[in-house]
Amino acid sequence: MGAQNDTVIVEVKNSLLTENTAIHWHGIRQIGTPWFDGTEGVTQCPILPGDTFVYKFVVDRPGTYLYHAHYGMQRESGLYGSIRVALPDGESEPFAYDYDRSIILNDWFHKSTYEQAAGLSSIPFQWVGEPQSLLIQGKGRFDCSAANPPMKADVCNNTNPECSLYSTTVVPGKTYRLRISSLTALSALSFQIEGHNMTVVEADGHYVEPFVVKNLFIYSGETYSVLVKTDQDPSRNYWATTNVVSRNATTPPGLAIFNYYPNHPRRSPPTIPPSGPMWNDIEPRFNQSVAIKARRGHIYPPPATSDRVIVLLNTQNRVNGNVRWSVNNVSLNIPHTPYLIALKENLLRTFSQTPPPEGYDFKNYDIFPVQNNTNGTTSDAIYRLQLNSTVDIILQNANTMNPNNSETHPWHLHGHDFWILGYGKGKFDPINDPKKYNLVDPIMKNTVPVHPFGWTALRFKADNPGVWAFHCHIESHFFLGMGVVFEEGIERVGKLPSSIMGCGQTKHLLKP
Amino acid sequence: MGAQNDTVIVEVKNSLLTENTAIHWHGIRQIGTPWFDGTEGVTQCPILPGDTFVYKFVVDRPGTYLYHAHYGMQRESGLYGSIRVALPDGESEPFAYDYDRSIILNDWFHKSTYEQAAGLSSIPFQWVGEPQSLLIQGKGRFDCSAANPPMKADVCNNTNPECSLYSTTVVPGKTYRLRISSLTALSALSFQIEGHNMTVVEADGHYVEPFVVKNLFIYSGETYSVLVKTDQDPSRNYWATTNVVSRNATTPPGLAIFNYYPNHPRRSPPTIPPSGPMWNDIEPRFNQSVAIKARRGHIYPPPATSDRVIVLLNTQNRVNGNVRWSVNNVSLNIPHTPYLIALKENLLRTFSQTPPPEGYDFKNYDIFPVQNNTNGTTSDAIYRLQLNSTVDIILQNANTMNPNNSETHPWHLHGHDFWILGYGKGKFDPINDPKKYNLVDPIMKNTVPVHPFGWTALRFKADNPGVWAFHCHIESHFFLGMGVVFEEGIERVGKLPSSIMGCGQTKHLLKP
């Protein structure tokens, strides 16, 4: 999309008939332009049909980022893409490669997001289920025989060339930088290329101390660059595959073709696609998380101490008969007057001014069983942070409302990168675990998983005046309230553009 | 909903996730409140998710009216209902009945309106096709064996009691007023009750000189009251049926049960449902149209002459490769800055100020064949009428882009009732046909069909300051541009409520 320090202007024309939109620039910190973060209800009003909204922001760091709708469950309907920010002319990456490719992984549901959202809001609760397909760069297949009733192949279109798998052509003996990103609605994924190692060199726009994997675990909202050498037998093609981990999904693996020139790009490899890792083997996923460190020579160490620790217990609750996801048993309801405007323009009646909890009943709460009382509450309150303070976040996972079940949640922070201080298993120990924090070479990221029954500790500087969402990147989890909102330095936010206004109480700002 | 001269307040809370709405009060003239007509793009901005919009208007005439979404193709998704305005206490209708029932007829498509709209806007054009079912008071059945692939009955749910047909229970020996309305997306309908005559007494809120029919033809946007005597053998139930006319539809008839107490309400009548009239027999439809006259003692004769005659040739066109519906080969594009606000607030750059054509090439245009040149244009220009002038509208039907095909279009006028001066076959003769106008006892209505290859002449007083749509009530035809807009007395319109603003250029009216 541009090179580091470029100012990017994006005109978004909403040509939908009756539906609004808002586009989030995922991983772009929007320093000085918090109003262009594109998060409906947090930083802006929705863009109406017929309207053109102009986003204008600086891409201040090279790397791999994303853009996607941040409104209802619209991202999952397909409004997304990836962003590549180049280094300025004359500068070079700390690793060498011949070609640069971007691949987005996703999952795909047959049920529309409207139906999904209606089911999630229903009593009784109707879960979205597992995706019907996994997509590699937008392409995938559906097992027609699995349909109910079974579909004919010609309806399923498997033989239509337009429905062929994604194929990327490579030249033997070269090094490819593959920018792999995940925008799944639900699934945690493993990605691999048959017979090829991958060297991880970038994560969420930060250089990684290189390490080699056979398969890459990737969670929704994450981006990685890996280097792949085309050093295998060039007389054939190879499978690239992705499969669901962390959930016992019925979804068949996603397939693509890693095409060695001059083989035909659609020629099937002669082998059976490699089966990915076991869905319920948490160990390698945990280990990959721990393995990701900042690259030597590119280390920006975190502040040695923090000013505030917020513990976010990830819980599944029942609220007034609805199933909800929550933190500390409080499920977020995003109001229709965006927080940024409400705070800047002093519309404080539009949301609760009672601060949300800083933690949970640490002493008595057992994270392993289903709770006796799973009831939660909803709130639209937010965390207000001291500008330039250092904040630690402990994401603490726990059992859901099903016995022996804890899920993987990829948490994404808007407006900042955070240092990942550590991952742990079981309940976070506030005395001893901080002593093991990595303060030497922690990676910075904007999205991080908290593993089942585990914890993840983050640190960030609240140095970006604005209002920022921090939420589980699983579409249905965020829809069901799994998120929080941080405010910092609202008094330092510049004059808001009127283009972000026009909804909720901000309409009254705009008196005729 | 209330009695004549009541002020009605309706709070519309948009609880959709990402979709806006606007609600039109169909048949309510909104005298003095043109901003509450509920027509997106004409009288208001859309209502955003989370917003509550308050409509406030006077129901100044007793009778049967409708409400429905007037935004995109949202009406067809199911946002509609009927309105019953009673006479003030102490007054009585000029006909007697024991019970009062309302029945809405509709057609139902399996394809969502999003898909339909996408297909209609595509090149090549993808027509919506015929509806899968006809609904009587929201209930209908689908022929599972007709699905591709065929569906199992348990998926189709035909045996589920929730899917049972609509049944209305009647007591023998009484007179029922049935308020029948149609909100079909596409279909012209015939409605009948096996073995029972119907006496037509009201049309679109106006008393009709009573006449008896075996079956009632009804077009989208029309409402009728009929009186039905329960004078048949009370030991059984009877079918109420509706079927498509004017189109050679594959849609099976809609069925309901006219249940004589104390037979069980779901007991099937012992007979085969009566087959309706032939779809292509235009004669009885034309005759019913002509038969509808104002009731003696309730005649409000029209002005004897008019100040202006506008001829609206109904055409199907190709515009830049798209199939469109048009009048006088001009297809309406409704802008995103509502006309009412644009005109009142002098935002005249938001739409073309070149007036649309007053007619077509009357001398040379042959309405019967497909035209050699079917190309049309789009415009967002409107007709500006002199306040309190009398306007004649000649709706002239013609061939579509398919040979020997002319469709039935129900035209609905907002903000007014019109007198129906006459119907004719073939091309309107401007010299001789006006001499046959019924100026004695014409019915007033708000919706009127123009029959295939025929014409319909209307007269109305432009005495309601505001901006008003006049359009074909077929959802896909209006979506494809089959409508016009009238402005009258904009200078007499009161201060606009800010609640209707917030979209398009009206956002700039609302500067922070």
Side-chain angles (χ1 to χ4, degrees):
Chain A
M1 139 177 286
Q4 188 178 4
N5 299 322
D6 277 0
T7 295
V8 175
I9 297 172
V10 187
E11 283 191 12
V12 176
K13 168 84 191 280
N14 181 0
S15 294
L16 297 167
L17 190 57
T18 55
E19 197 173 348
N20 306 313
T21 192
I23 312 289
H24 172 54
W25 313 94
H26 179 117
I28 310 295
R29 290 173 294 170
Q30 302 289 356
I31 294 167
T33 52
W35 43 77
F36 288 145
D37 187 51
T39 308
E40 187 273 335
V42 178
T43 63
Q44 72 166 91
C45 290
I47 307 168
L48 270 59
D51 270 7
T52 297
F53 188 98
V54 180
Y55 291 97
K56 186 176 173 185
F57 50 84
V58 174
V59 288
D60 63 333
R61 284 187 296 105
T64 311
Y65 307 100
L66 302 166
Y67 66 88
H68 59 78
H70 212 299
Y71 187 51
M73 292 176 69
Q74 211 174 51
R75 182 187 93 215
E76 184 179 337
S77 300
L79 208 174
Y80 57 79
S82 65
I83 295 171
R84 182 191 297 186
V85 179
L87 281 166
D89 278 352
E91 294 188 32
S92 60
E93 309 277 4
F95 44 82
Y97 53 90
D98 301 298
Y99 299 101
D100 193 336
R101 301 269 164 87
S102 296
I103 295 175
I104 298 178
L105 308 179
N106 213 334
D107 46 13
W108 183 251
F109 293 77
H110 287 192
K111 205 182 256 190
S112 77
T113 55
Y114 305 109
E115 279 182 272
Q116 290 185 28
L120 294 173
S121 308
S122 292
I123 300 175
F125 183 69
Q126 292 176 288
W127 174 238
V128 298
E130 299 299 326
Q132 274 65 51
S133 305
L134 296 182
L135 309 184
I136 298 178
Q137 195 62 357
K139 299 270 204 165
R141 281 193 178 166
F142 171 62
D143 177 4
C144 302
S145 65
N148 179 16
M151 293 169 80
K152 293 180 193 164
D154 63 338
V155 176
C156 239
N157 253 343
N158 271 355
T159 55
N160 185 330
E162 284 189 13
C163 299
S164 61
L165 298 175
Y166 173 66
S167 176
T168 188
T169 300
V170 294
V171 178
K174 300 289 186 185
T175 297
Y176 286 81
R177 176 181 188 172
L178 300 182
R179 300 171 188 256
I180 316 287
S181 50
S182 170
L183 275 163
T184 53
L186 174 63
S187 312
L189 297 177
S190 167
F191 175 79
Q192 71 187 99
I193 302 170
E194 185 189 11
H196 293 74
N197 285 329
M198 300 184 283
T199 303
V200 180
V201 293
E202 183 214 343
D204 294 3
H206 292 272
Y207 296 129
V208 170
E209 179 64 17
F211 66 101
V212 175
V213 295
K214 273 274 171 204
N215 70 285
L216 177 76
F217 294 104
I218 183 165
Y219 306 94
S220 183
E222 288 192 316
T223 70
Y224 289 98
S225 285
V226 298
L227 302 182
V228 178
K229 288 194 171 147
T230 49
D231 54 7
Q232 297 298 303
D233 172 7
S235 72
R236 51 163 288 192
N237 291 337
Y238 295 84
W239 291 112
T241 72
T242 183
N243 62 284
V244 176
V245 292
S246 178
R247 301 181 68 88
N248 190 6
T250 51
T251 317
L255 297 175
I257 293 174
F258 198 63
N259 166 235
Y260 270 62
Y261 185 83
N263 298 289
H264 191 282
R266 286 212 285 272
R267 184 176 159 203
S268 279
T271 43
I272 293 171
S275 57
M278 291 291 292
W279 72 269
N280 54 356
D281 186 2
I282 197 176
E283 220 42 46
R285 300 204 301 276
F286 188 88
N287 291 341
Q288 179 187 303
S289 289
V290 172
I292 303 172
K293 303 272 196 286
R295 187 182 181 109
R296 266 167 275 173
H298 297 269
I299 295 171
Y300 305 94
T305 59
S306 72
D307 301 307
R308 181 172 175 185
V309 179
I310 300 173
V311 182
L312 301 180
L313 177 74
N314 288 220
T315 58
Q316 194 182 35
N317 298 86
R318 207 169 281 280
V319 183
N320 300 328
N322 286 112
V323 172
R324 300 277 299 200
W325 283 95
S326 317
V327 288
N328 300 329
N329 297 310
V330 177
S331 186
L332 180 66
N333 277 342
I334 291 183
H336 289 280
T337 300
Y339 290 112
L340 177 66
I341 311 172
L343 285 159
K344 186 72 189 164
E345 304 288 342
N346 224 28
L347 301 169
L348 298 184
R349 288 188 190 170
T350 59
F351 64 95
S352 165
Q353 298 300 308
T354 307
E358 295 279 303
Y360 66 105
D361 181 2
F362 179 78
K363 267 176 156 174
N364 300 309
Y365 193 101
D366 185 348
I367 65 161
F368 293 104
V370 178
Q371 302 301 300
N372 289 331
N373 178 1
T374 58
N375 287 345
T377 56
T378 58
S379 173
D380 52 13
I382 67 170
Y383 295 89
R384 306 196 64 164
L385 308 177
Q386 190 70 38
L387 186 62
N388 294 320
S389 65
T390 301
V391 179
D392 282 5
I393 302 286
I394 315 298
L395 292 164
Q396 175 66 61
N397 218 332
N399 210 308
T400 66
M401 295 197 293
N402 298 314
N404 303 311
N405 179 244
S406 179
E407 305 195 358
T408 303
H409 302 286
W411 280 81
H412 171 63
L413 179 59
H414 292 221
H416 310 76
D417 296 318
F418 45 71
W419 291 275
I420 301 179
L421 303 183
Y423 296 90
K425 292 168 186 172
K427 199 164 163 176
F428 177 77
D429 177 340
I431 307 296
N432 295 301
D433 283 329
K435 296 177 187 163
K436 302 174 209 153
Y437 281 168
N438 175 9
L439 301 175
V440 177
D441 59 355
I443 188 72
M444 298 192 80
K445 285 179 103 270
N446 59 61
T447 305
V448 68
V450 56
H451 292 291
F453 296 114
W455 57 263
T456 302
L458 320 173
R459 181 166 293 174
F460 70 97
K461 285 278 281 181
D463 57 1
N464 191 6
V467 184
W468 309 104
F470 180 48
H471 62 91
C472 177
H473 211 259
I474 292 174
E475 191 82 316
S476 46
H477 288 188
F478 181 50
F479 175 76
L480 292 171
M482 197 170 202
V484 298
V485 174
F486 298 123
E487 173 275 330
E488 67 212 40
I490 188 68
E491 67 287 352
R492 298 278 292 274
V493 170
K495 182 171 157 44
L496 301 178
S498 64
S499 64
I500 65 170
M501 304 183 187
C503 62
Q505 293 304 308
T506 75
K507 226 179 161 177
H508 301 291
L509 292 176
L510 312 174
K511 288 239 169 57
Chain B
M1 135 177 288
Q4 188 178 4
N5 298 324
D6 278 0
T7 295
V8 176
I9 297 172
V10 187
E11 282 191 12
V12 177
K13 167 85 191 279
N14 181 0
S15 294
L16 297 167
L17 190 57
T18 55
E19 197 173 349
N20 306 313
T21 191
I23 312 288
H24 172 54
W25 313 95
H26 179 116
I28 311 294
R29 290 174 294 171
Q30 302 288 357
I31 293 167
T33 52
W35 42 78
F36 288 146
D37 188 50
T39 308
E40 187 272 336
V42 178
T43 64
Q44 72 166 91
C45 290
I47 308 168
L48 270 60
D51 270 7
T52 297
F53 188 98
V54 180
Y55 291 97
K56 186 175 174 185
F57 50 84
V58 173
V59 287
D60 63 333
R61 284 186 297 105
T64 311
Y65 307 99
L66 301 166
Y67 66 89
H68 59 77
H70 212 300
Y71 186 51
M73 292 175 69
Q74 211 174 51
R75 182 187 93 217
E76 186 179 334
S77 300
L79 210 175
Y80 57 77
S82 66
I83 295 171
R84 182 192 296 187
V85 180
L87 281 166
D89 278 351
E91 292 188 34
S92 60
E93 308 278 4
F95 43 82
Y97 52 91
D98 302 297
Y99 300 100
D100 193 336
R101 300 268 164 87
S102 296
I103 295 175
I104 299 178
L105 307 178
N106 214 334
D107 45 13
W108 183 251
F109 293 76
H110 287 192
K111 206 182 257 191
S112 77
T113 55
Y114 305 109
E115 280 183 272
Q116 290 185 28
L120 294 172
S121 308
S122 293
I123 299 174
F125 183 69
Q126 293 176 287
W127 174 238
V128 299
E130 299 299 327
Q132 274 65 49
S133 306
L134 297 182
L135 308 184
I136 298 178
Q137 196 64 356
K139 300 268 203 166
R141 282 193 178 165
F142 171 62
D143 178 4
C144 302
S145 65
N148 180 16
M151 294 169 78
K152 292 180 192 163
D154 63 339
V155 175
C156 239
N157 253 343
N158 269 356
T159 54
N160 184 331
E162 283 189 14
C163 299
S164 62
L165 299 174
Y166 173 68
S167 176
T168 188
T169 300
V170 294
V171 178
K174 300 290 184 184
T175 298
Y176 286 80
R177 176 181 188 172
L178 299 182
R179 299 171 188 256
I180 315 286
S181 49
S182 170
L183 275 162
T184 52
L186 174 64
S187 311
L189 297 177
S190 166
F191 174 80
Q192 70 187 101
I193 301 170
E194 185 189 12
H196 294 74
N197 284 329
M198 300 184 283
T199 304
V200 180
V201 294
E202 182 214 344
D204 296 0
H206 291 272
Y207 296 127
V208 170
E209 178 65 17
F211 66 100
V212 175
V213 295
K214 273 273 173 208
N215 70 287
L216 178 76
F217 294 105
I218 183 165
Y219 307 94
S220 183
E222 288 191 317
T223 70
Y224 289 98
S225 286
V226 298
L227 301 181
V228 178
K229 288 193 171 148
T230 49
D231 55 6
Q232 296 299 302
D233 173 5
S235 71
R236 52 162 288 192
N237 291 337
Y238 296 83
W239 292 112
T241 71
T242 183
N243 62 285
V244 176
V245 293
S246 179
R247 301 181 67 88
N248 190 4
T250 51
T251 316
L255 297 175
I257 293 175
F258 198 63
N259 165 234
Y260 269 62
Y261 185 85
N263 298 288
H264 191 281
R266 286 211 286 272
R267 184 176 161 203
S268 278
T271 43
I272 293 170
S275 55
M278 290 292 292
W279 73 268
N280 54 356
D281 186 1
I282 197 176
E283 221 41 48
R285 300 203 301 276
F286 188 88
N287 290 342
Q288 179 187 303
S289 290
V290 172
I292 302 172
K293 303 271 197 284
R295 186 181 182 109
R296 267 167 273 174
H298 298 269
I299 296 171
Y300 306 94
T305 59
S306 73
D307 303 305
R308 181 174 175 184
V309 178
I310 301 173
V311 182
L312 300 179
L313 178 73
N314 288 220
T315 58
Q316 194 183 34
N317 297 86
R318 208 171 280 279
V319 182
N320 299 327
N322 286 111
V323 172
R324 301 277 299 199
W325 283 96
S326 317
V327 286
N328 298 328
N329 296 311
V330 178
S331 186
L332 180 66
N333 277 342
I334 291 183
H336 288 282
T337 300
Y339 290 112
L340 177 65
I341 311 172
L343 286 159
K344 186 72 188 165
E345 305 288 341
N346 224 27
L347 301 170
L348 298 184
R349 290 188 189 168
T350 59
F351 64 95
S352 165
Q353 298 301 309
T354 309
E358 295 277 303
Y360 66 105
D361 180 3
F362 179 78
K363 267 177 157 173
N364 300 308
Y365 193 102
D366 186 347
I367 66 161
F368 293 103
V370 179
Q371 301 302 298
N372 289 331
N373 178 0
T374 58
N375 288 344
T377 56
T378 57
S379 172
D380 51 15
I382 68 170
Y383 295 88
R384 306 195 64 163
L385 308 177
Q386 190 70 38
L387 185 62
N388 294 321
S389 66
T390 300
V391 179
D392 282 4
I393 301 288
I394 315 298
L395 292 164
Q396 175 67 61
N397 217 333
N399 211 307
T400 65
M401 295 198 293
N402 298 314
N404 303 311
N405 179 245
S406 179
E407 304 195 359
T408 303
H409 302 286
W411 280 81
H412 171 64
L413 179 58
H414 293 221
H416 310 76
D417 296 316
F418 45 71
W419 292 274
I420 301 177
L421 302 182
Y423 296 90
K425 292 167 185 174
K427 198 165 165 176
F428 177 78
D429 177 340
I431 307 298
N432 295 301
D433 283 328
K435 296 177 186 162
K436 302 174 208 153
Y437 281 168
N438 176 9
L439 300 176
V440 178
D441 58 357
I443 189 72
M444 298 192 81
K445 286 178 102 272
N446 58 61
T447 306
V448 68
V450 57
H451 292 290
F453 296 113
W455 57 263
T456 302
L458 319 173
R459 180 165 293 174
F460 69 97
K461 285 279 280 183
D463 57 1
N464 191 6
V467 184
W468 309 105
F470 180 47
H471 62 92
C472 177
H473 211 259
I474 293 174
E475 192 85 316
S476 47
H477 288 189
F478 181 50
F479 176 75
L480 292 172
M482 196 169 204
V484 299
V485 174
F486 298 123
E487 173 276 327
E488 67 212 41
I490 187 70
E491 67 287 353
R492 298 278 292 275
V493 170
K495 180 171 161 36
L496 301 178
S498 64
S499 64
I500 65 170
M501 304 182 185
C503 61
Q505 294 303 308
T506 74
K507 225 178 162 179
H508 301 291
L509 292 178
L510 312 174
K511 288 237 171 55

